[in-house]
Amino acid sequence: TDHAAGETITGGDGDDVINFTSELGQTLVLSANVTGVETIAIATSAGGGTAGTTNESINASALTYGVTLVAGAGTHTLTGTAFADTFDGTANGTNTFVVGTGDTILGSTAADTIEVAATTVFNAAQIDDVETAELASGVSLTVDYTDVDSAGAGNLLLTVTGVDDAATETLIVTGGNTGAAVAAQDFSGLALTD
């Protein structure tokens, strides 16, 4: 559901939270008139509980600053801002995170996906428990080798898909400096599809 035209939400001092408590499979679309709120959460109760299962989504793309987006149990799509966001999927739902450079993603033990619409760079420890990356046409994704499932251990980036068109999508894996404990990395468990 959208905020009504002209509706303004202004957070105060301290840590402010919007708890989205719908259980109708809806999407909360935040407008640029939301300011000063640090966290937006999918909750099963007005107090912010995430114990129940619900299939809501949040779209924060219009916000003019970075936020923390929190998923509950269930199936969710969380769309971030153009700024550095934190995505928290640790309530063990099945999540899709629409992400960009500077974001931090904490996935769940369920199957989580990042959607990458523009060239994006993640440094070490910015992705945790995300198994799939879906790349839009012509974009590249840079990840640290510690975030890639090289041995089939699970809960690391295991599958990367692109778009079957004339453009080229690119996966760049960094890290494992010469002389470091990991000088070579086996990526035989990583599936790349176009």
Side-chain angles (χ1 to χ4, degrees), residues 64-80:
T64 58
Y65 61 99
V67 294
T68 297
L69 298 170
V70 181
T75 302
H76 313 288
T77 298
L78 302 180
T79 303

Side-chain angles (χ1 to χ4, degrees), residues 15-39:
D15 209 11
D16 300 299
V17 178
I18 295 174
N19 285 317
F20 183 43
T21 58
S22 173
E23 294 185 2
L24 302 174
Q26 298 175 321
T27 299
L28 173 64
V29 179
L30 300 166
S31 76
N33 293 331
V34 175
T35 59
V37 176
E38 292 78 19
T39 303

Side-chain angles (χ1 to χ4, degrees), residues 106-119:
L106 307 170
S108 68
T109 57
D112 293 312
T113 299
I114 57 173
E115 288 184 2
V116 182
T119 295

Side-chain angles (χ1 to χ4, degrees), residues 13 22 38 55 82 105 109 120 140 147 162 171 177 190:
D13 292 338
S22 173
E38 292 78 19
N55 296 317
I105 299 96
T109 57
T120 300
S140 44
D147 295 325
L171 173 66
N177 299 334
L190 182 64

